[in-house]
Every structure is written in structure tokens, then in C-alpha cells.
Amino acid sequence: MATCPECDAEVEVDEFDVDKGDLISCPDCGSNLEVTSIAPVELESVDEDDDDDDEDDEEEDDAELEEDDDADDDDTTEDLD
């Protein structure tokens, strides 16, 4: 057994079925948890903001690509005149 760091609920985790770094979710509050220790099993809350940062970076990259495409279109139009 391990304790959820978010809601203090008991989370049933078999130390033989998990590895350090595995991700599980709390059955009570649904928080994403990472196994940080096996003997005894210890859990830490996973910071979900990291995922949002990755998505923001992808959106910024897409916006830059669209700007580059627009610039290319403008160059083509000027050549046709």
C-alpha cells in the first residue's frame, strides 16, 4: 500500500508489479502519480503543467510554420506580376 500525496487515500500498489518511474492514477481523486520508490512503495504527484508546456511549444511551432508559408505565398504573387 502507498498513500496518495494529493488526497491521502490508500493506493493499492504491489511492489512486484511496478517499477520506479511507472505512472499510475489515484482511484479516489484521479491524480497522476509516479512511483518514486519500490521498497517501500512511495508515490509523488506528477506535475501536469509540463505537458501543457509541450503543447504550447507545438502550437508556437505550428504558428511559425504558417507564417513562413504565408511569406512564401507573398513572394510567389510578386513574381507573377
Side-chain angles (χ1 to χ4, degrees):
M1 282 286 195
T3 303
C4 174
E6 295 292 320
C7 69
D8 294 325
E10 291 294 318
V11 180
E12 189 172 335
V13 181
D14 186 350
E15 66 185 54
F16 299 108
D17 289 339
V18 295
D19 292 318
K20 188 174 179 180
D22 283 355
L23 298 176
I24 60 173
S25 69
C26 175
D28 284 4
C29 69
S31 293
N32 293 323
L33 307 171
E34 180 179 2
V35 177
T36 57
S37 175
I38 301 296
V41 175
E42 294 181 7
L43 304 172
E44 267 187 28
S45 181
V46 176
D47 186 14
E48 294 180 15
D49 291 340
D50 291 341
D51 294 339
D52 293 342
D53 290 342
D54 293 341
E55 290 175 11
D56 291 342
D57 291 343
E58 290 174 7
E59 290 173 3
E60 290 173 7
D61 291 343
D62 290 343
E64 289 176 7
L65 289 174
E66 288 177 10
E67 289 175 8
D68 289 344
D69 289 344
D70 290 343
D72 290 342
D73 292 342
D74 291 341
D75 292 341
T76 305
T77 305
E78 290 175 12
D79 291 340
L80 295 175
D81 289 336

